[in-house]
């Protein structure tokens, strides 16, 4: 395996494009840049693949420090500028910050994310006015920068895997530039049903779908999301849907896109190795000490509107009210680490969650018992400690493409963990039979499910957890990636 992932002759046979890349930078007081690695699963997946040494990962610079790093490297190629990219060639695009912010914050995160997760408070939002049109133009420009970079780096006939709702327009733009390429797109979120998707201005709805249909293969985590995408194509574009060897297909303007289902799973070995490290063990000891011999209900999420942390806390409060036998016998540890704080909705949501936790503390807390512990800072080792120690996992998103936490917890659980799982998470397709499914809006039903989960015998909990762990490991990131490459023929 080469040290640097420089593709032979500078032209890649395999390309991955995503908004967030495997490296991010921070600038030190002396002006130097420090890199940190993320996106582990995809990096190792890429490198373990045949031809992985001829791959390029194209991503956006997300911060000023990223932009500095991208500018310092020739053509944004971080791997050629001495950065440890895990052996993969990484091209970071130095996109104009105003264009990037409008594309990422206003369109990707405040519009497409809201549409696919059904997050709008409809009486007041969304509002598609003149500023929105400018934001949409920036989203198009940002997608075009990706398409142009991919077109430059791709060898003839190369395969390109475009990721997520940030890059819905790139497949079509790329096909126009390079009709010889095999293009795949993968959506990590749910897809909105047509009635909701139609809140988008007609031209925006059309461009989004046509952009995606520039791909030869469009992947989703769940058949529910693929079906919704096909329904939107029929409804908005008048496209034709069919089936080919068990795959849904969408045909529009003479081009056919196959829809594939690839429910991402867990890298079991990698996760267990990380969770066995010293920092996790030390967090585990502290957490155990504060919980004593009580049961623990855990949750681990980004502080994300779709994760439904608020109704989770309301359900916990209702549990303590209606099933008082659990008072002083259980602790709810909720890790809600920060996310997308450039958006006011997310900052307000953090405050809302903190207020609810304080109310529970006020109503039920005693000198010897803290009923709820809420963490709003990021600490991956602490999250992994919670994965290991939880008796019950509360995972109740209002809607979720997959939800990997629901798969990771059974893999790491020490004593077995009952999963209270939203029917609206993609993970419910595979884990539904072994978990306790809940309607995420039904706080009372969630309280009942928590009671049932806490009351479950150790044997049953263990047996369910073991079966879920097997399911969770079925499609690890490397295989998930390889499947999408082979789906491109
Ligand atoms: C979640 C979603 C992904 C998305 C990512 C972006 O993990 O499931 O679909 O790509 O968030 O998060 P970011 O922090 O980059 O906005």
């Amino acid at each position: 395996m080469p040290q640097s992932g420089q593709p032979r002759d500078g032209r890649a046979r395999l390309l991955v494009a995503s908004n967030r890349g495997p490296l991010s930078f921070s600038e030190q007081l002396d002006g130097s840049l420090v890199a940190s690695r993320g996106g582990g699963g995809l990096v190792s997946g890429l490198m373990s693949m045949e031809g992985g040494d001829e791959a390029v990962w194209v991503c956006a610079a997300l911060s000023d420090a990223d932009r500095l790093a991208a500018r310092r490297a020739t053509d944004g190629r971080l791997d050629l500028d001495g950065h440890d990219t895990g052996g993969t060639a990484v091209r970071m695009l130095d996109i104009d910050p105003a264009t990037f912010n409008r594309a990422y914050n206003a369109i990707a995160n405040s519009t497409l994310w809201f549409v696919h997760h059904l997050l709008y408070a409809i009486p007041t939002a969304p509002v598609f006015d003149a500023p929105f049109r400018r934001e949409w133009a920036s989203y198009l420009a940002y997608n075009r920068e990706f398409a142009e970079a991919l077109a430059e780096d791709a060898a003839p006939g190369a395969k390109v895997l475009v990721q997520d709702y940030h890059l819905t327009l790139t497949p079509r733009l790329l096909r126009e530039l390079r009709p010889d390429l095999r293009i795949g797109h993968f959506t990590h979120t749910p897809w909105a049903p047509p009635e909701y998707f139609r809140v988008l201005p007609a031209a925006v709805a059309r461009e989004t779908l046509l952009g995606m249909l520039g791909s030869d293969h469009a992947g989703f985590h769940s058949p529910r999301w693929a079906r919704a995408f096909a329904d939107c194509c029929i409804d908005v574009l008048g496209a034709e849907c069919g089936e080919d060897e068990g795959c849904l297909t969408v045909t529009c303007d003479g081009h056919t896109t196959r829809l594939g289902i690839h429910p991402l799973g867990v890298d079991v070995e990698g996760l267990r190795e990380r969770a066995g490290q010293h920092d996790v063990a030390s967090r585990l000891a502290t957490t155990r000490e504060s919980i004593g011999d009580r049961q623990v209900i855990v949750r681990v999420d980004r502080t994300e509107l779709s994760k439904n942390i608020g109704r989770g806390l309301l359900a916990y409060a209702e549990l303590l009210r209606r099933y008082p036998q659990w008072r002083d016998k259980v602790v709810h540890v909720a890790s809600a680490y920060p996310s997308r704080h450039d958006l006011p909705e997310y900052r307000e949501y953090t405050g809302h969650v903190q207020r609810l936790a304080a109310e529970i503390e006020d109503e039920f807390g005693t000198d010897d018992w803290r009923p709820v512990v809420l963490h709003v800072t990021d600490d991956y080792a602490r999250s992994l400690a919670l994965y290991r120690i939880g008796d019950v996992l509360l995972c109740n998103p209002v809607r979720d493409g997959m939800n990997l936490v629901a798969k990771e917890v059974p893999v790491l659980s020490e004593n077995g963990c009952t999963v209270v799982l939203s029917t609206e998470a993609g993970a419910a397709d595979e884990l539904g039979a072994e978990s306790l499914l809940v309607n995420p809006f039904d706080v009372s039903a969630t309280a009942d499910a928590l009671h049932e989960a806490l009351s479950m015998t150790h044997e049953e909990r263990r047996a369910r957890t073991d079966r879920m762990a097997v399911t969770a490991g079925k499609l690890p990131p490397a295989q998930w990636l390889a499947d999408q490459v082979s789906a491109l023929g």
Side-chain angles (χ1 to χ4, degrees):
M1 202 143 288
Q3 278 309 299
S4 147
Q6 182 168 24
R8 259 170 243 158
D9 311 316
R11 320 232 41 211
R13 306 278 325 145
L14 176 64
L15 300 95
V16 173
S18 63
N19 175 62
R20 189 178 286 277
L23 275 195
S24 62
F25 293 87
S26 50
E27 194 179 359
Q28 306 304 106
L29 285 176
D30 64 1
S32 62
L33 293 172
V34 174
S36 53
R37 281 257 306 267
L42 274 188
V43 178
S44 52
L46 257 182
M47 287 317 291
S48 65
M49 261 167 31
E50 208 177 309
D53 55 342
E54 296 174 62
V56 172
W57 187 335
V58 179
C59 60
L62 307 183
S63 64
D64 288 343
D66 281 5
R67 276 185 277 275
L68 258 182
R71 255 174 247 151
R72 281 179 192 173
T74 311
D75 288 335
R77 279 287 299 274
L78 302 177
D79 53 303
L80 301 181
D81 200 36
H83 297 293
D84 175 13
T85 55
T88 277
V90 176
R91 178 168 178 185
M92 190 177 258
L93 303 178
D94 170 22
I95 296 171
D96 162 65
T99 304
F100 173 80
N101 284 330
R102 287 193 286 261
Y104 174 68
N105 285 318
I107 300 297
N109 288 342
S110 299
T111 306
L112 298 178
W113 180 272
F114 272 56
V115 168
H116 292 317
H117 292 86
L118 321 181
L119 288 179
Y120 286 120
I122 287 295
T124 52
V127 173
F128 297 124
D129 50 6
F132 174 81
R133 266 64 194 186
R134 195 171 67 145
E135 289 157 2
W136 183 253
S138 292
Y139 181 74
L140 173 61
Y142 156 96
N143 271 258
R144 183 167 283 129
E145 289 209 36
F146 271 84
E148 283 167 356
L150 292 164
E152 262 170 43
D153 282 357
K159 295 178 176 178
V160 186
L161 300 174
V162 179
Q163 305 296 308
D164 234 347
Y165 59 99
H166 314 92
L167 296 173
T168 56
L169 308 183
T170 297
R172 184 184 170 96
L173 295 167
L174 181 56
R175 176 170 298 282
E176 284 165 7
L177 294 170
R178 291 287 305 272
D180 61 303
L181 302 179
R182 300 288 298 161
I183 304 171
H185 185 278
F186 195 90
T187 297
H188 294 259
T189 61
W191 196 274
E195 305 72 31
Y196 203 88
F197 192 73
R198 284 203 312 260
V199 303
L200 289 170
V204 168
R206 284 182 63 79
E207 282 170 41
T208 304
L209 297 171
L210 287 172
M212 297 266 297
L213 291 178
S215 59
D216 299 291
H217 180 265
F220 296 86
H221 285 309
S222 162
R224 289 186 268 177
W225 318 141
R227 183 72 252 173
F229 174 73
D231 288 344
C232 286
C233 291
I234 296 170
D235 190 273
V236 174
L237 301 175
E240 256 176 56
C241 284
E243 234 188 84
D244 180 20
E245 294 169 359
C247 255
L248 272 177
T249 59
V250 181
T251 303
C252 192
D253 298 337
H255 176 73
T256 297
T257 303
R258 288 166 66 93
L259 309 189
I261 312 300
H262 305 270
L264 180 62
V266 176
D267 167 12
V268 170
E269 229 174 84
L271 185 66
R272 288 200 174 130
E273 196 273 319
R274 176 65 189 88
Q277 288 176 14
H278 178 71
D279 54 349
V280 179
S282 86
R283 306 296 194 289
L284 201 61
T286 337
T287 313
R288 275 214 179 97
E289 208 181 292
S290 66
I291 289 165
D293 57 3
R294 301 177 181 94
Q295 290 203 60
V296 56
I297 301 173
V298 297
R299 77 171 304 140
V300 177
D301 291 300
R302 292 186 294 116
T303 313
E304 160 56 53
L305 310 181
S306 63
K307 299 294 181 186
N308 207 21
I309 304 169
R311 289 191 192 84
L313 288 167
L314 291 174
Y316 180 61
E318 190 166 320
L319 168 87
L320 297 178
R321 244 173 257 132
R322 284 203 287 118
Y323 300 95
Q325 66 269 35
W326 292 116
R327 292 186 194 172
D328 201 19
K329 297 284 187 297
V330 64
V331 176
H332 181 22
V333 185
S335 175
Y337 56 92
S339 178
R340 301 185 191 165
H341 269 213
D342 285 343
L343 302 183
E345 289 93 337
Y346 282 67
R347 295 195 296 271
E348 281 158 25
Y349 187 64
T350 305
H352 167 68
V353 165
Q354 284 172 313
R355 279 191 297 280
L356 288 173
E359 280 167 25
I360 296 176
E361 198 62 42
D362 276 355
E363 184 175 346
F364 302 102
T366 65
D367 288 348
D368 308 316
W369 174 52
R370 268 188 84 185
V372 63
V373 179
L374 173 68
H375 299 292
V376 291
T377 53
D378 194 5
D379 182 345
Y380 187 52
R382 188 186 57 218
S383 297
L384 293 179
L386 295 177
Y387 283 17
R388 284 174 57 178
I389 207 179
D391 298 295
V392 175
L393 170 71
L394 178 54
C395 183
N396 62 330
V398 292
R399 208 168 151 86
D400 211 331
M402 168 54 72
N403 200 299
L404 268 186
V405 174
K407 289 187 168 180
E408 289 171 338
V409 167
V411 167
L412 291 188
S413 170
E414 291 184 355
N415 296 315
C417 181
T418 310
V419 179
V420 173
L421 181 62
S422 165
T423 52
E424 306 311 299
D429 295 352
E430 296 166 278
L431 303 181
E434 305 299 345
S435 53
L436 303 181
L437 288 175
V438 289
N439 166 349
F441 303 97
D442 191 339
V443 166
S444 297
T446 307
D448 291 336
L450 289 175
H451 168 65
E452 190 184 339
L454 290 167
S455 312
M456 196 174 275
T457 64
H458 174 72
E459 291 66 33
E460 185 175 356
R461 196 178 267 174
R462 181 76 267 172
R464 285 179 185 238
T465 307
D466 291 346
R467 289 193 289 267
M468 283 194 279
V470 172
T471 307
K474 272 192 188 152
L475 192 56
Q479 188 58 45
W480 173 83
L481 201 59
D483 282 3
Q484 282 168 81
V485 174
S486 46
L488 287 178

